[in-house]
Structures are given as structure tokens and as C-alpha cells.
Amino acid sequence: MSFFSDVERDLLVDARTDLADGVVALDLVSHNGRDLPAWTPGSHIDVVLAPGLERQYSLCGDRADRSRWRIAVLREEKGGGGSLALHDDVRVGQTLRVRGPRNHFAFEVTPGTRYRFVAGGIGITPLRAMVAEAAAAGADWTLDVAGRSRTTLAFAAELAAGHPDRVRVHAADEGHRLDVTALLGAPREDTAVYVCGPARLIDAVTDATAGWPPAALHVERFTAKEFGEPVWPGPFEVELALSGGTVTVRPGESVLDAVTGSGAVVLSSCRVGTCGTCETPVLEGAVEHRDSVLTPAEQADGAVMMVCVSRAAGPRLVLDL
């Protein structure tokens, strides 16, 4: 089961832990000591650092411990500044504004299914709770974690020690590079693959599962997919069913900017199609999906779109706004 919450709350930073080289964990608790909302494996929260500066981080703590949420943050020197702020400026006792949790990378154990988890670097964070769920259910699962070195891999040592027969660490500096093709092998009807990490790893896993059943592959991306020119390059109209207005989306303008510019209220965060915050119901019209969130089946269904990046595939859309 997956679920979504757009509630914003201020949480206290209760603990700060160095997990690996360049990775810090922040434990967040409520001001009054009350339990935080439950979450499902694969969930993330938005951390609101400043106006226009929001970042998404997977919840990677103990789901049974409702007193706190834990996120793990990789320091990215060439990023947009969010990770640097969390590493350099946030201390125990400070308050962080967060939104969520929400889940577009849902996981639920199905009897008879084998699970192959593949993580690259900080991509282990959403998979950690999935591994715990699979292990508790007695499922057939393995986890392969790849990175530059063991010292850079958060949770890898802990997971390998707890499940030595199921967890494999592939450290490049030890000459143990991950061979995705050899790992996954021939297509199987009974196997689900969950992958999170750098784009090159996700692309490799996607290629390796090209002949598998479409529903076998489950992906979470930290960076947006790359797309060419829109299939409908000209302007198009968006009718707002709730307000009764109509706006024109110009070439180079996002649906999000056009509709919010007209006064519609749409929550958004990443603005590159990776977080799912701006998911909007589509009532009429064909959509060119340019997000990295929806599954191929969800995109084909056309019931929702991420208005920060996706566009009309024709002259008109009707949205439930």
C-alpha cells in the first residue's frame, strides 16, 4: 500500500550521526513527543530549507519506531545547495520544516515473489525498509550494493553483517564492480527488481530487464530523465475544471507555471519530475509524460500527470484543478 500526505510540520533534529564518508543521518522528532505518522517502505519526505529550496529524502529508519523519522543525506558539493545546508548548518536542537510522507516507490511483499534489490551509493536509503519488510516476511530476497568504496556506503556493513548470505557489497576500489546483466540473468515471471541509485546504474538495470514482464522493474531516480523536444511543440490550452478557467501553456513554459500563474493552487517541490508532489488528475486529453515517477502502466492509463514537466500531447487538456 502507498499513501500520500501534503501536511507540513516543524520537527526537531534529535540526533546527527555520521553514517559513511559524506553521509549524515538526521533523526527528526515532534516538539511535543507525540508519535509521527506511520510510513510505508519507499516513502520520502520533502525538507523545506528556504523559499524555493526543497529537497526529497527517503525515510530509512525503523518503521516500528513512531517517535522519529530518519533521513540520510549525501553531501553533494556540486548540487543545488540543499545537502550542503543540511551538512554544514543543521545541528541537534534545530527545527526543520518537512512535508509528507508520500510514496511513489511503494513496496509490499507478495507470496511467491522473489525480490532483487539493487542500490547504488545513497540509493540504499529507500531500499533499507524494503529489505527489513522482505526479511520479516520470510521472502526470497537479495540485496546488491555498489559504490566507490565500503567507507562511502551507508548501511552496507550493517546489512551485510545481519544478512551475510543475502547481501553483497560491490566496492570499486576492491575490484568488485557490479555486473547487472550477470546478476539478473534471464527473465523470470516470479521476480521483482527494485533499484535506486545513479542514472547509469538505473539505465543498466533497465537494459538488463528489457525482456522481463513490464511490472517486474521498480525504479526510483534521484535525477530526472532526459527527453527530447515535446511531441506537441506548440502552445496548448489547459482547462481548469474546478475553477472554470482556461490557460494557455506556451512553448518552453511548464503547465505548473501556467496554472499557478492563473491563481490555481498546486503543491510542488522538485520541479524536475522526480518527487511526485505536483501529481494532478487528468480529466480529458492526451498527456506526454516526461516524469521519472509514474510507472509505464500508470503513464499509459493517463489518469494523472506531473505538471512540473509533463505536457499535452495535443491541443487541449482538462485538469481537476
Side-chain angles (χ1 to χ4, degrees):
M1 179 184 67
S2 62
F3 60 88
F4 308 91
S5 172
D6 293 323
V7 174
E8 288 193 3
R9 51 176 58 84
D10 292 323
L11 299 181
L12 284 174
V13 180
D14 185 63
R16 233 187 108 99
T17 308
D18 291 327
L19 296 178
D21 292 347
V23 181
V24 64
L26 300 177
D27 286 10
L28 309 177
V29 301
S30 62
H31 288 260
N32 55 15
R34 291 182 179 175
D35 282 352
L36 295 172
W39 52 280
T40 55
S43 295
H44 72 266
I45 58 173
D46 301 333
V47 179
V48 184
L49 295 165
L53 182 59
E54 301 181 11
R55 294 294 182 267
Q56 292 72 47
Y57 295 101
S58 298
L59 292 174
C60 57
D62 180 0
R63 289 182 59 229
D65 184 358
R66 295 277 302 279
S67 70
R68 64 191 56 238
W69 287 343
R70 168 173 273 204
I71 60 174
V73 182
L74 171 67
R75 184 183 183 91
E76 297 183 90
E77 298 291 349
K78 297 181 180 179
S83 70
L84 297 182
L86 290 170
H87 272 258
D88 296 341
D89 302 333
V90 174
R91 296 290 179 264
V92 171
Q94 288 184 232
T95 295
L96 285 180
R97 170 148 288 198
V98 306
R99 184 189 303 118
R102 60 174 52 240
N103 195 339
H104 277 287
F105 191 38
F107 173 80
E108 193 169 356
V109 175
T110 302
T113 301
R114 303 162 69 243
Y115 297 96
R116 299 296 174 255
F117 302 110
V118 183
I122 198 63
I124 187 60
T125 51
L127 300 182
R128 187 174 184 241
M130 298 183 188
V131 164
E133 194 92 346
D140 179 347
W141 65 273
T142 60
L143 168 66
D144 288 82
V145 187
R148 296 194 312 275
S149 68
R150 291 176 186 268
T151 62
T152 65
L153 294 174
F155 304 122
E158 161 204 312
L159 290 167
H163 308 279
D165 57 333
R166 296 183 182 272
V167 177
R168 296 176 289 261
V169 179
H170 306 264
D173 65 351
E174 298 173 6
H176 299 152
R177 293 187 177 275
L178 175 59
D179 184 340
V180 170
T181 302
L183 168 67
L184 297 176
R188 294 186 57 134
E189 297 284 340
D190 64 347
T191 301
V193 180
Y194 286 77
V195 58
C196 183
R200 63 183 181 277
L201 173 64
I202 291 176
D203 291 343
V205 173
T206 300
D207 290 344
T209 55
W212 291 51
L217 180 61
H218 306 263
V219 172
E220 181 164 76
R221 293 178 180 267
F222 292 147
T223 57
K225 293 180 183 178
E226 294 185 5
F227 294 89
E229 291 297 313
V231 298
W232 183 269
F236 57 91
E237 289 188 344
V238 174
E239 180 181 334
L240 309 180
L242 293 181
S243 67
T246 299
V247 300
T248 298
V249 182
R250 302 181 302 272
E253 181 183 29
S254 71
V255 175
L256 175 64
D257 286 341
V259 299
T260 55
S262 74
V265 177
V266 183
L267 285 177
S268 64
S269 183
C270 72
R271 288 183 165 264
V272 294
T274 60
C275 74
T277 304
C278 67
E279 179 180 309
T280 301
V282 178
L283 302 181
E284 292 181 31
V287 178
E288 182 194 2
H289 294 283
R290 300 168 70 90
D291 66 275
S292 304
V293 176
L294 298 175
T295 66
E298 289 169 333
Q299 292 184 345
D301 183 57
V304 298
M305 68 183 291
M306 304 303 159
V307 293
C308 66
V309 291
S310 296
R311 307 184 65 77
R316 182 173 174 271
L317 287 174
V318 181
L319 301 182
D320 194 17
L321 290 174

